[in-house]
Amino acid sequence: MMLSLPFSLALGIIIVLAVLGLPMGLAMISGSIIYLLMRGQDMGIVAEQLLNGMYSNYIMLAVPLFILAAEIMNSGSLSERLLKWCDALVGRFRGGLAQVNVLQSIVFAGMSGSAVADAAGSGKMMQYMMTKDGKYTPSYAAALTAVTAVIGPIIPPSIPMVLYALISDASIGYLFLAGIVPGLLMAGVMMVQIAVTARMKNFPVEPPTPLRKIPRMTWEALPVLLMPAVLMVGIYGGITTPTEAAAIAALYALVVSVVIYRSVSAREFYASLLTSAKTTASIGMLIAGALVLNYVVTIENIPRSLSVLLVAWDLDPLTFLIAANILLLILGCLLEGTTILLVIVPILIPTAQALGIDMVHFGVVVVVNIMLGLITPPFGLLLFIMTRISGSNMRELVRDVFPFLLALLAALMLFTFVPETVLWLPRTFGYGG
């Protein structure tokens, strides 16, 4: 498959601009404009692609709304109450505080839809709790927080799955359902890993919370715990669309934080709006650049050419999935996850469809791969975030992340080779794929 000169030049420009520090979205738009100029295409196509892609797709609204919900929860006391409740349940076991980290990520996953939001939301608090009095090393606490944060976009709601639905036309509702079992299995793998390490390294045991206090703590944390249930009932009960559920999530977080817990001031709410707007603008620019570049890729007929080439190689679905896993894991070490999802994955989707691979199953495999990229050196974003939060050096952090990464890769192989682990729950709710 030969690439044309204009397309090769456009790719070179994108790479050079990105290396020089230009935001990836702007780099993609710039390279695409050069391509269209060399092809003699109308420049109005760029605006047309942006307007059609950004403003005519209802799904896109879910992204800023889930981001806002996460920011409001981080500003209030919701995370703190959640941590106390988790500590009351599993803190009494050896390595219990490490298990708390996993448990709070499972619950928090049902609220924000973003791994970065989960890490930033509970990262500082978990880091303090685990390293206080020298119970755990800073690097282990940071590594565990980074690893548990990847559960966030697997268990619904999930911003990456919303974006995948945008490019694949797969059902968001069934994608959300498909992520529940894999997310819980990943959490279970982490808990087993912690239990084994706790015995080997003699991790501390936290003072047990008296059983009589647990009902009261559960009552106090109930508004937080109900949020995932509200979202799931709304979506799968046919009451709301996923986008409307995202709006409800933001409103619910605001009402709980302001009215029930009274933990968010007007200034903090404004700061949440500002941070959400900045994050949304950053993601929006990436999506805009990807839309224009995807149009260029379509003109070059790359997806169809690649699909024909791979089919000609007589690849079976399993071999293709293995190759896709390897490609996405390698790219995850080098590129930002949203870029992979919006630029690389659309090229793979036609081949996956031609081979009869279920789009919901493929979506979960893709998102898990991208999330593992966040904790894979040398450019794992969560590694940099937790290095900054914990003050530990990257070498120690990677050393403590590595055993978890191996365990999660084994879980990824299970999801890849046994599609039923992903599709069982959607099929239970009527999915016909």
PDB file of all heavy atoms in Angstrom, residues 252-280:
ATOM      1  N   TYR A 252     -26.639  16.062  39.507  1.00  0.00           N
ATOM      2  CA  TYR A 252     -26.679  15.271  40.745  1.00  0.00           C
ATOM      3  C   TYR A 252     -25.471  15.590  41.617  1.00  0.00           C
ATOM      4  O   TYR A 252     -25.609  15.799  42.834  1.00  0.00           O
ATOM      5  CB  TYR A 252     -26.705  13.788  40.390  1.00  0.00           C
ATOM      6  CG  TYR A 252     -26.867  12.860  41.576  1.00  0.00           C
ATOM      7  CD1 TYR A 252     -28.123  12.444  42.001  1.00  0.00           C
ATOM      8  CD2 TYR A 252     -25.753  12.384  42.269  1.00  0.00           C
ATOM      9  CE1 TYR A 252     -28.267  11.586  43.085  1.00  0.00           C
ATOM     10  CE2 TYR A 252     -25.890  11.528  43.353  1.00  0.00           C
ATOM     11  CZ  TYR A 252     -27.141  11.136  43.755  1.00  0.00           C
ATOM     12  OH  TYR A 252     -27.280  10.297  44.825  1.00  0.00           O
ATOM     13  N   ALA A 253     -24.279  15.634  41.003  1.00  0.00           N
ATOM     14  CA  ALA A 253     -23.068  15.954  41.772  1.00  0.00           C
ATOM     15  C   ALA A 253     -23.168  17.340  42.398  1.00  0.00           C
ATOM     16  O   ALA A 253     -22.757  17.549  43.548  1.00  0.00           O
ATOM     17  CB  ALA A 253     -21.842  15.875  40.861  1.00  0.00           C
ATOM     18  N   LEU A 254     -23.740  18.285  41.658  1.00  0.00           N
ATOM     19  CA  LEU A 254     -23.883  19.655  42.179  1.00  0.00           C
ATOM     20  C   LEU A 254     -24.868  19.702  43.337  1.00  0.00           C
ATOM     21  O   LEU A 254     -24.592  20.318  44.383  1.00  0.00           O
ATOM     22  CB  LEU A 254     -24.339  20.585  41.048  1.00  0.00           C
ATOM     23  CG  LEU A 254     -24.516  22.057  41.417  1.00  0.00           C
ATOM     24  CD1 LEU A 254     -23.190  22.654  41.873  1.00  0.00           C
ATOM     25  CD2 LEU A 254     -25.087  22.843  40.241  1.00  0.00           C
ATOM     26  N   VAL A 255     -26.018  19.052  43.181  1.00  0.00           N
ATOM     27  CA  VAL A 255     -27.035  19.056  44.239  1.00  0.00           C
ATOM     28  C   VAL A 255     -26.509  18.387  45.503  1.00  0.00           C
ATOM     29  O   VAL A 255     -26.672  18.903  46.620  1.00  0.00           O
ATOM     30  CB  VAL A 255     -28.325  18.357  43.747  1.00  0.00           C
ATOM     31  CG1 VAL A 255     -29.293  18.130  44.900  1.00  0.00           C
ATOM     32  CG2 VAL A 255     -28.990  19.187  42.658  1.00  0.00           C
ATOM     33  N   VAL A 256     -25.862  17.221  45.336  1.00  0.00           N
ATOM     34  CA  VAL A 256     -25.332  16.503  46.505  1.00  0.00           C
ATOM     35  C   VAL A 256     -24.260  17.335  47.212  1.00  0.00           C
ATOM     36  O   VAL A 256     -24.245  17.452  48.444  1.00  0.00           O
ATOM     37  CB  VAL A 256     -24.761  15.131  46.083  1.00  0.00           C
ATOM     38  CG1 VAL A 256     -23.989  14.500  47.235  1.00  0.00           C
ATOM     39  CG2 VAL A 256     -25.876  14.212  45.632  1.00  0.00           C
ATOM     40  N   SER A 257     -23.353  17.947  46.439  1.00  0.00           N
ATOM     41  CA  SER A 257     -22.253  18.713  47.024  1.00  0.00           C
ATOM     42  C   SER A 257     -22.734  19.991  47.693  1.00  0.00           C
ATOM     43  O   SER A 257     -22.245  20.362  48.772  1.00  0.00           O
ATOM     44  CB  SER A 257     -21.215  19.066  45.943  1.00  0.00           C
ATOM     45  OG  SER A 257     -20.642  17.905  45.411  1.00  0.00           O
ATOM     46  N   VAL A 258     -23.720  20.672  47.074  1.00  0.00           N
ATOM     47  CA  VAL A 258     -24.161  21.976  47.584  1.00  0.00           C
ATOM     48  C   VAL A 258     -25.281  21.848  48.609  1.00  0.00           C
ATOM     49  O   VAL A 258     -25.227  22.456  49.688  1.00  0.00           O
ATOM     50  CB  VAL A 258     -24.613  22.886  46.409  1.00  0.00           C
ATOM     51  CG1 VAL A 258     -25.206  24.188  46.938  1.00  0.00           C
ATOM     52  CG2 VAL A 258     -23.449  23.177  45.486  1.00  0.00           C
ATOM     53  N   VAL A 259     -26.296  21.051  48.302  1.00  0.00           N
ATOM     54  CA  VAL A 259     -27.485  20.994  49.149  1.00  0.00           C
ATOM     55  C   VAL A 259     -27.319  20.014  50.310  1.00  0.00           C
ATOM     56  O   VAL A 259     -27.628  20.332  51.458  1.00  0.00           O
ATOM     57  CB  VAL A 259     -28.729  20.613  48.307  1.00  0.00           C
ATOM     58  CG1 VAL A 259     -29.964  20.510  49.202  1.00  0.00           C
ATOM     59  CG2 VAL A 259     -28.947  21.637  47.205  1.00  0.00           C
ATOM     60  N   ILE A 260     -26.824  18.791  50.004  1.00  0.00           N
ATOM     61  CA  ILE A 260     -26.751  17.758  51.044  1.00  0.00           C
ATOM     62  C   ILE A 260     -25.501  17.916  51.907  1.00  0.00           C
ATOM     63  O   ILE A 260     -25.585  17.979  53.141  1.00  0.00           O
ATOM     64  CB  ILE A 260     -26.810  16.355  50.409  1.00  0.00           C
ATOM     65  CG1 ILE A 260     -28.134  16.168  49.658  1.00  0.00           C
ATOM     66  CG2 ILE A 260     -26.642  15.274  51.484  1.00  0.00           C
ATOM     67  CD1 ILE A 260     -28.268  14.823  48.990  1.00  0.00           C
ATOM     68  N   TYR A 261     -24.315  17.965  51.268  1.00  0.00           N
ATOM     69  CA  TYR A 261     -23.068  18.031  52.032  1.00  0.00           C
ATOM     70  C   TYR A 261     -22.602  19.462  52.295  1.00  0.00           C
ATOM     71  O   TYR A 261     -21.774  19.686  53.175  1.00  0.00           O
ATOM     72  CB  TYR A 261     -21.960  17.271  51.279  1.00  0.00           C
ATOM     73  CG  TYR A 261     -22.184  15.781  51.196  1.00  0.00           C
ATOM     74  CD1 TYR A 261     -21.777  15.063  50.078  1.00  0.00           C
ATOM     75  CD2 TYR A 261     -22.813  15.091  52.230  1.00  0.00           C
ATOM     76  CE1 TYR A 261     -21.973  13.690  49.989  1.00  0.00           C
ATOM     77  CE2 TYR A 261     -23.016  13.720  52.149  1.00  0.00           C
ATOM     78  CZ  TYR A 261     -22.594  13.023  51.026  1.00  0.00           C
ATOM     79  OH  TYR A 261     -22.800  11.669  50.947  1.00  0.00           O
ATOM     80  N   ARG A 262     -23.107  20.418  51.521  1.00  0.00           N
ATOM     81  CA  ARG A 262     -22.734  21.831  51.666  1.00  0.00           C
ATOM     82  C   ARG A 262     -21.216  22.011  51.675  1.00  0.00           C
ATOM     83  O   ARG A 262     -20.646  22.663  52.557  1.00  0.00           O
ATOM     84  CB  ARG A 262     -23.347  22.416  52.946  1.00  0.00           C
ATOM     85  CG  ARG A 262     -24.860  22.375  52.954  1.00  0.00           C
ATOM     86  CD  ARG A 262     -25.457  22.955  54.204  1.00  0.00           C
ATOM     87  NE  ARG A 262     -26.904  22.869  54.176  1.00  0.00           N
ATOM     88  CZ  ARG A 262     -27.709  23.303  55.167  1.00  0.00           C
ATOM     89  NH1 ARG A 262     -27.169  23.841  56.250  1.00  0.00           N
ATOM     90  NH2 ARG A 262     -29.010  23.187  55.049  1.00  0.00           N
ATOM     91  N   SER A 263     -20.582  21.419  50.680  1.00  0.00           N
ATOM     92  CA  SER A 263     -19.113  21.395  50.654  1.00  0.00           C
ATOM     93  C   SER A 263     -18.519  22.118  49.448  1.00  0.00           C
ATOM     94  O   SER A 263     -17.307  22.090  49.258  1.00  0.00           O
ATOM     95  CB  SER A 263     -18.618  19.947  50.665  1.00  0.00           C
ATOM     96  OG  SER A 263     -19.146  19.231  49.560  1.00  0.00           O
ATOM     97  N   VAL A 264     -19.358  22.738  48.622  1.00  0.00           N
ATOM     98  CA  VAL A 264     -18.864  23.463  47.446  1.00  0.00           C
ATOM     99  C   VAL A 264     -19.353  24.907  47.507  1.00  0.00           C
ATOM    100  O   VAL A 264     -20.566  25.153  47.546  1.00  0.00           O
ATOM    101  CB  VAL A 264     -19.343  22.801  46.136  1.00  0.00           C
ATOM    102  CG1 VAL A 264     -18.957  23.652  44.935  1.00  0.00           C
ATOM    103  CG2 VAL A 264     -18.740  21.413  45.993  1.00  0.00           C
ATOM    104  N   SER A 265     -18.412  25.842  47.517  1.00  0.00           N
ATOM    105  CA  SER A 265     -18.758  27.263  47.524  1.00  0.00           C
ATOM    106  C   SER A 265     -18.955  27.746  46.086  1.00  0.00           C
ATOM    107  O   SER A 265     -18.645  27.029  45.123  1.00  0.00           O
ATOM    108  CB  SER A 265     -17.648  28.075  48.189  1.00  0.00           C
ATOM    109  OG  SER A 265     -16.446  27.980  47.436  1.00  0.00           O
ATOM    110  N   ALA A 266     -19.451  28.967  45.953  1.00  0.00           N
ATOM    111  CA  ALA A 266     -19.653  29.548  44.621  1.00  0.00           C
ATOM    112  C   ALA A 266     -18.317  29.677  43.889  1.00  0.00           C
ATOM    113  O   ALA A 266     -18.229  29.429  42.680  1.00  0.00           O
ATOM    114  CB  ALA A 266     -20.325  30.916  44.741  1.00  0.00           C
ATOM    115  N   ARG A 267     -17.262  30.024  44.628  1.00  0.00           N
ATOM    116  CA  ARG A 267     -15.944  30.160  44.008  1.00  0.00           C
ATOM    117  C   ARG A 267     -15.435  28.809  43.518  1.00  0.00           C
ATOM    118  O   ARG A 267     -14.870  28.701  42.417  1.00  0.00           O
ATOM    119  CB  ARG A 267     -14.955  30.768  45.006  1.00  0.00           C
ATOM    120  CG  ARG A 267     -13.538  30.902  44.461  1.00  0.00           C
ATOM    121  CD  ARG A 267     -12.631  31.596  45.463  1.00  0.00           C
ATOM    122  NE  ARG A 267     -13.050  32.984  45.675  1.00  0.00           N
ATOM    123  CZ  ARG A 267     -12.422  33.820  46.499  1.00  0.00           C
ATOM    124  NH1 ARG A 267     -11.375  33.401  47.202  1.00  0.00           N
ATOM    125  NH2 ARG A 267     -12.853  35.057  46.642  1.00  0.00           N
ATOM    126  N   GLU A 268     -15.637  27.758  44.317  1.00  0.00           N
ATOM    127  CA  GLU A 268     -15.187  26.419  43.915  1.00  0.00           C
ATOM    128  C   GLU A 268     -15.985  25.904  42.716  1.00  0.00           C
ATOM    129  O   GLU A 268     -15.429  25.247  41.825  1.00  0.00           O
ATOM    130  CB  GLU A 268     -15.314  25.450  45.095  1.00  0.00           C
ATOM    131  CG  GLU A 268     -14.314  25.700  46.210  1.00  0.00           C
ATOM    132  CD  GLU A 268     -14.607  24.884  47.452  1.00  0.00           C
ATOM    133  OE1 GLU A 268     -15.795  24.547  47.672  1.00  0.00           O
ATOM    134  OE2 GLU A 268     -13.670  24.597  48.218  1.00  0.00           O
ATOM    135  N   PHE A 269     -17.274  26.234  42.684  1.00  0.00           N
ATOM    136  CA  PHE A 269     -18.088  25.821  41.544  1.00  0.00           C
ATOM    137  C   PHE A 269     -17.628  26.523  40.270  1.00  0.00           C
ATOM    138  O   PHE A 269     -17.541  25.902  39.201  1.00  0.00           O
ATOM    139  CB  PHE A 269     -19.561  26.142  41.807  1.00  0.00           C
ATOM    140  CG  PHE A 269     -20.477  25.796  40.664  1.00  0.00           C
ATOM    141  CD1 PHE A 269     -20.557  24.497  40.184  1.00  0.00           C
ATOM    142  CD2 PHE A 269     -21.253  26.783  40.059  1.00  0.00           C
ATOM    143  CE1 PHE A 269     -21.392  24.171  39.125  1.00  0.00           C
ATOM    144  CE2 PHE A 269     -22.080  26.463  38.996  1.00  0.00           C
ATOM    145  CZ  PHE A 269     -22.155  25.165  38.534  1.00  0.00           C
ATOM    146  N   TYR A 270     -17.297  27.806  40.395  1.00  0.00           N
ATOM    147  CA  TYR A 270     -16.781  28.540  39.237  1.00  0.00           C
ATOM    148  C   TYR A 270     -15.463  27.929  38.757  1.00  0.00           C
ATOM    149  O   TYR A 270     -15.234  27.788  37.558  1.00  0.00           O
ATOM    150  CB  TYR A 270     -16.577  30.010  39.601  1.00  0.00           C
ATOM    151  CG  TYR A 270     -15.924  30.817  38.494  1.00  0.00           C
ATOM    152  CD1 TYR A 270     -16.644  31.187  37.358  1.00  0.00           C
ATOM    153  CD2 TYR A 270     -14.583  31.192  38.578  1.00  0.00           C
ATOM    154  CE1 TYR A 270     -16.049  31.913  36.336  1.00  0.00           C
ATOM    155  CE2 TYR A 270     -13.974  31.912  37.559  1.00  0.00           C
ATOM    156  CZ  TYR A 270     -14.717  32.269  36.445  1.00  0.00           C
ATOM    157  OH  TYR A 270     -14.115  32.977  35.438  1.00  0.00           O
ATOM    158  N   ALA A 271     -14.600  27.547  39.717  1.00  0.00           N
ATOM    159  CA  ALA A 271     -13.326  26.926  39.348  1.00  0.00           C
ATOM    160  C   ALA A 271     -13.564  25.594  38.631  1.00  0.00           C
ATOM    161  O   ALA A 271     -12.846  25.247  37.686  1.00  0.00           O
ATOM    162  CB  ALA A 271     -12.469  26.710  40.592  1.00  0.00           C
ATOM    163  N   SER A 272     -14.575  24.843  39.073  1.00  0.00           N
ATOM    164  CA  SER A 272     -14.913  23.580  38.407  1.00  0.00           C
ATOM    165  C   SER A 272     -15.379  23.818  36.980  1.00  0.00           C
ATOM    166  O   SER A 272     -14.997  23.095  36.050  1.00  0.00           O
ATOM    167  CB  SER A 272     -16.018  22.846  39.183  1.00  0.00           C
ATOM    168  OG  SER A 272     -15.583  22.486  40.470  1.00  0.00           O
ATOM    169  N   LEU A 273     -16.209  24.855  36.791  1.00  0.00           N
ATOM    170  CA  LEU A 273     -16.670  25.196  35.444  1.00  0.00           C
ATOM    171  C   LEU A 273     -15.496  25.584  34.552  1.00  0.00           C
ATOM    172  O   LEU A 273     -15.420  25.182  33.385  1.00  0.00           O
ATOM    173  CB  LEU A 273     -17.677  26.353  35.512  1.00  0.00           C
ATOM    174  CG  LEU A 273     -19.065  26.036  36.077  1.00  0.00           C
ATOM    175  CD1 LEU A 273     -19.884  27.324  36.199  1.00  0.00           C
ATOM    176  CD2 LEU A 273     -19.802  25.034  35.198  1.00  0.00           C
ATOM    177  N   LEU A 274     -14.565  26.366  35.127  1.00  0.00           N
ATOM    178  CA  LEU A 274     -13.418  26.836  34.347  1.00  0.00           C
ATOM    179  C   LEU A 274     -12.520  25.675  33.936  1.00  0.00           C
ATOM    180  O   LEU A 274     -12.110  25.564  32.772  1.00  0.00           O
ATOM    181  CB  LEU A 274     -12.630  27.862  35.169  1.00  0.00           C
ATOM    182  CG  LEU A 274     -11.604  28.719  34.424  1.00  0.00           C
ATOM    183  CD1 LEU A 274     -12.287  29.546  33.351  1.00  0.00           C
ATOM    184  CD2 LEU A 274     -10.864  29.622  35.402  1.00  0.00           C
ATOM    185  N   THR A 275     -12.223  24.777  34.903  1.00  0.00           N
ATOM    186  CA  THR A 275     -11.376  23.619  34.609  1.00  0.00           C
ATOM    187  C   THR A 275     -12.042  22.700  33.591  1.00  0.00           C
ATOM    188  O   THR A 275     -11.394  22.190  32.669  1.00  0.00           O
ATOM    189  CB  THR A 275     -11.079  22.832  35.900  1.00  0.00           C
ATOM    190  OG1 THR A 275     -10.461  23.696  36.852  1.00  0.00           O
ATOM    191  CG2 THR A 275     -10.159  21.658  35.627  1.00  0.00           C
ATOM    192  N   SER A 276     -13.349  22.502  33.732  1.00  0.00           N
ATOM    193  CA  SER A 276     -14.087  21.658  32.790  1.00  0.00           C
ATOM    194  C   SER A 276     -14.052  22.243  31.385  1.00  0.00           C
ATOM    195  O   SER A 276     -13.901  21.520  30.395  1.00  0.00           O
ATOM    196  CB  SER A 276     -15.547  21.502  33.240  1.00  0.00           C
ATOM    197  OG  SER A 276     -15.612  20.902  34.518  1.00  0.00           O
ATOM    198  N   ALA A 277     -14.201  23.571  31.305  1.00  0.00           N
ATOM    199  CA  ALA A 277     -14.175  24.227  29.995  1.00  0.00           C
ATOM    200  C   ALA A 277     -12.815  24.069  29.330  1.00  0.00           C
ATOM    201  O   ALA A 277     -12.730  23.800  28.124  1.00  0.00           O
ATOM    202  CB  ALA A 277     -14.519  25.710  30.154  1.00  0.00           C
ATOM    203  N   LYS A 278     -11.741  24.217  30.107  1.00  0.00           N
ATOM    204  CA  LYS A 278     -10.392  24.072  29.553  1.00  0.00           C
ATOM    205  C   LYS A 278     -10.150  22.642  29.069  1.00  0.00           C
ATOM    206  O   LYS A 278      -9.615  22.419  27.980  1.00  0.00           O
ATOM    207  CB  LYS A 278      -9.341  24.450  30.608  1.00  0.00           C
ATOM    208  CG  LYS A 278      -9.301  25.936  30.942  1.00  0.00           C
ATOM    209  CD  LYS A 278      -8.258  26.215  32.015  1.00  0.00           C
ATOM    210  CE  LYS A 278      -8.203  27.700  32.355  1.00  0.00           C
ATOM    211  NZ  LYS A 278      -7.228  27.977  33.439  1.00  0.00           N
ATOM    212  N   THR A 279     -10.556  21.674  29.893  1.00  0.00           N
ATOM    213  CA  THR A 279     -10.374  20.270  29.513  1.00  0.00           C
ATOM    214  C   THR A 279     -11.200  19.929  28.275  1.00  0.00           C
ATOM    215  O   THR A 279     -10.728  19.252  27.352  1.00  0.00           O
ATOM    216  CB  THR A 279     -10.776  19.341  30.672  1.00  0.00           C
ATOM    217  OG1 THR A 279     -10.052  19.704  31.848  1.00  0.00           O
ATOM    218  CG2 THR A 279     -10.490  17.890  30.334  1.00  0.00           C
ATOM    219  N   THR A 280     -12.443  20.411  28.245  1.00  0.00           N
ATOM    220  CA  THR A 280     -13.318  20.158  27.101  1.00  0.00           C
ATOM    221  C   THR A 280     -12.759  20.782  25.831  1.00  0.00           C
ATOM    222  O   THR A 280     -12.795  20.171  24.752  1.00  0.00           O
ATOM    223  CB  THR A 280     -14.723  20.711  27.373  1.00  0.00           C
ATOM    224  OG1 THR A 280     -15.257  20.071  28.538  1.00  0.00           O
ATOM    225  CG2 THR A 280     -15.649  20.452  26.193  1.00  0.00           C
TER     226      THR A 280
END
